[in-house]
Amino acid sequence: EYMGTNKMSEKVDGDFMKGAGGLLAVIGDEDTVTGFLLAGVGHRDTKSRLNFFVVDSEKTKTDDIAEAFKSFSNREDVAIILITQSAAQEIRFLLNTYDKTIPVILEIPSKDVPYDESKDPIMQRVLRLLGSRD
């Protein structure tokens, strides 16, 4: 039986995770998203909402990426949004104004585009706090 029936497990299940969610959402190119799906990240909720969005650099519109990001960032069951840096560049205007704690936004590299820490505002903030950048 999951977590038993003691009061502590009810407290953890009932209060701690309420609203915090636990899903990972992924926005990125087909190879990146497929890799995460193969790792077991894929999910469809009771409203048939998916927790991933595939971006085709030639076909996907910026508005569609922005809509997927807004959708994931407003879901109570999503705790982390992974977004490839190339997709993040398309919606930088949204990411720069994003101020929620949860879900956390993490920019990741893709197969074809290496990670560039200079384009990641979170990494820049961390580096400034550590005194590694001006």
Side-chain angles (χ1 to χ4, degrees):
E1 183 175 330
Y2 174 71
M3 298 283 288
T5 58
N6 65 42
K7 294 295 179 193
M8 185 61 175
S9 67
E10 290 173 14
K11 181 78 169 166
V12 170
D13 288 343
D15 294 337
F16 179 71
M17 289 303 288
K18 186 176 182 182
L23 288 180
L24 200 64
V26 184
I27 301 173
D29 60 273
E30 186 174 16
D31 290 338
T32 301
V33 172
T34 299
F36 279 99
L37 294 177
L38 289 171
V41 169
H43 180 74
R44 179 185 305 262
D45 68 7
T46 57
K47 298 177 185 174
S48 293
R49 297 179 301 179
L50 300 173
N51 67 327
F52 59 90
F53 182 77
V54 176
V55 176
D56 182 322
S57 61
E58 296 176 11
K59 297 177 184 175
T60 306
K61 297 176 183 161
T62 300
D63 289 344
D64 294 335
I65 301 169
E67 195 57 42
F69 174 77
K70 288 175 189 176
S71 173
F72 294 149
S73 64
N74 287 314
R75 284 177 53 175
E76 291 184 10
D77 60 343
V78 173
I80 300 171
I81 300 173
L82 297 178
I83 182 168
T84 56
Q85 198 166 50
S86 54
Q89 283 301 108
E90 295 289 322
I91 60 165
R92 185 64 61 202
F93 62 96
L94 281 176
L95 297 177
N96 286 343
T97 59
Y98 182 80
D99 61 356
K100 294 181 184 177
T101 305
I102 295 177
V104 173
I105 311 302
L106 296 175
E107 293 185 28
I108 60 173
S110 64
K111 186 175 105 174
D112 299 323
V113 182
Y115 177 76
D116 181 358
E117 69 181 31
S118 69
K119 293 180 181 177
D120 185 345
I122 302 270
M123 182 57 78
Q124 291 303 305
R125 193 174 317 150
V126 168
L127 292 172
R128 276 194 303 277
L129 288 171
L130 295 175
S132 299
R133 295 270 190 246
D134 293 327

